[in-house]
């Protein structure tokens, strides 16, 4: 059987499936993510019992002698294998995977690598192997999630950044080199804010323009319609219709 596709134009997938949500604490990040269809949360913040949705709590543990016992490296590997093998089976019909929060996942991966190497930081691991291992683990996680035929949502905290004009803005707190790996595989970046009693959501970055008529999941469409800048008005056809 040939691996080459036929030399013909095919219809493209024209809907967002990967999302990056960032905002201050209590700005509605997890609440918004939970609105996506049939969500499963990969938690890191210790609030798993406060989350009404199916979830898994990531955590590194050590033996009494300080050596690594059970780390997120093994947990993520097993979790991804189970998601790929069991998703779609009765009782496991998840349509959205939510990483809450990606900042902590990166920190836990760093910690696990250091524990297994018996070092304090990645830089202490000789020949750059610490950073190489980290990049491999994070990239593999992002690519495996992207390959799933479901929605993927990454949640991040914020930090304040001053631009060239001296104005202060909220930006994702995830380290730039890690953000580039994650965001490079996302379709929409969503900023959440709580202003008084109002929850404000807006798009700060997007892969392309998205139109309501081309999004076939009504739940996702309903979410995006409530986010400023997510959906673009339908293009006007040449005949004016």
């Amino acid at each position: 059987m040939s691996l080459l596709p036929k030399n013909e134009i095919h219809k493209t997938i024209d809907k967002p499936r990967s999302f990056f949500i960032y905002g201050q604490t209590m700005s509605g990040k997890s609440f918004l993510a939970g609105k996506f269809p049939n969500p499963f949360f990969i938690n890191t913040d210790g609030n798993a019992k406060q989350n009404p949705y199916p979830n898994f709590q990531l955590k590194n543990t050590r033996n009494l002698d300080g050596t690594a016992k059970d780390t997120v490296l093994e947990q993520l590997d097993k979790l991804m294998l189970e998601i790929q093998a069991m998703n779609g089976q009765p009782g496991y019909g998840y349509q959205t995977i939510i990483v809450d929060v990606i900042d902590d996942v990166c920190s836990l991966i760093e910690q696990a690598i250091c524990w297994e190497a018996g070092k304090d930081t990645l830089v202490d691991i000789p020949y750059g192997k610490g950073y190489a291992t980290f990049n491999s683990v994070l990239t593999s996680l992002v690519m495996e999630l992207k390959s799933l035929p479901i929605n993927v949502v990454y949640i991040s905290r914020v930090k304040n950044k001053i631009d060239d004009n001296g104005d202060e803005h909220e930006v994702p707190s995830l380290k730039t080199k890690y953000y580039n790996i994650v965001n490079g595989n996302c379709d929409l970046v969503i900023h959440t804010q709580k202003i008084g009693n109002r929850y404000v959501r807006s798009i700060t970055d997007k892969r392309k323009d998205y139109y309501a008529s081309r999004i076939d999941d009504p739940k996702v469409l309903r979410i995006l319609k409530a986010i400023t800048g997510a959906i673009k008005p339908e293009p006007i056809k040449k005949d004016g219709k």
Side-chain angles (χ1 to χ4, degrees):
M1 180 176 177
S2 175
L3 298 179
L4 289 174
K6 288 185 178 181
N7 184 11
E8 59 185 17
I9 300 298
H10 63 276
K11 186 177 181 180
T12 60
I13 298 175
D14 198 20
K15 62 181 179 180
R17 289 201 307 110
S18 297
F19 307 85
F20 190 98
I21 302 175
Y22 71 99
Q24 293 280 1
T25 301
M26 306 300 290
S27 64
K29 302 186 297 295
S30 298
F31 178 82
L32 175 61
K35 293 298 182 181
F36 280 81
N38 295 326
F40 169 72
F41 277 75
I42 300 176
N43 274 325
T44 63
D45 57 9
N47 294 324
K49 292 184 179 180
Q50 300 177 23
N51 190 335
Y53 303 105
N55 61 82
F56 179 84
Q57 181 73 40
L58 289 176
K59 183 180 180 181
N60 288 323
T61 59
R62 289 193 283 187
N63 296 304
L64 293 177
D65 62 0
T67 57
K69 180 180 180 180
D70 182 27
T71 72
V72 299
L73 302 181
E74 291 80 19
Q75 293 165 21
L76 286 171
D77 189 47
K78 293 178 182 177
L79 192 58
M80 292 308 303
L81 286 174
E82 287 196 21
I83 290 173
Q84 293 171 13
M86 300 178 67
N87 198 40
Q89 295 186 25
Y92 298 93
Y94 300 120
Q95 293 176 273
T96 306
I97 302 294
I98 300 165
V99 182
D100 187 7
V101 292
I102 186 60
D103 311 57
D104 290 346
V105 171
C106 290
S107 296
L108 287 168
I109 292 173
E110 285 189 18
Q111 185 183 62
I113 293 171
C114 290
W115 284 4
E116 292 190 351
K119 302 294 183 181
D120 293 327
T121 65
L122 292 180
V123 73
D124 295 326
I125 302 176
Y127 310 111
K129 291 183 178 179
Y131 287 109
T133 301
F134 176 88
N135 288 333
S136 176
V137 172
L138 180 60
T139 301
S140 293
L141 172 64
V142 172
M143 295 307 295
E144 285 190 72
L145 287 172
K146 184 179 180 180
S147 70
L148 296 172
I150 57 180
N151 304 305
V152 179
V153 180
Y154 299 94
I155 297 177
S156 177
R157 303 186 184 94
V158 297
K159 62 181 179 182
N160 293 324
K161 182 179 181 180
I162 298 177
D163 63 21
D164 295 337
N165 297 321
D167 297 322
E168 193 173 64
H169 303 277
E170 289 184 351
V171 297
S173 62
L174 188 62
K175 293 180 181 179
T176 302
K177 56 185 176 182
Y178 303 159
Y179 176 75
N180 289 338
I181 294 175
V182 177
N183 185 48
N185 290 280
C186 287
D187 300 311
L188 289 171
V189 178
I190 304 168
H191 182 205
T192 62
Q193 293 175 288
K194 185 178 181 182
I195 303 176
N197 293 322
R198 296 189 306 118
Y199 290 92
V200 180
R201 297 141 183 173
S202 58
I203 298 298
T204 60
D205 197 9
K206 58 183 178 179
R207 184 175 300 279
K208 59 183 294 185
D209 292 329
Y210 296 100
Y211 302 94
S213 62
R214 302 175 188 175
I215 298 177
D216 57 6
D217 189 323
K219 291 184 178 180
V220 173
L221 179 58
R222 184 163 58 248
I223 292 170
L224 296 183
K225 281 185 173 180
I227 301 173
T228 302
I231 300 296
K232 190 172 182 178
E234 298 292 332
I236 298 176
K237 297 180 179 180
K238 292 182 179 181
D239 58 3
K241 296 181 181 179

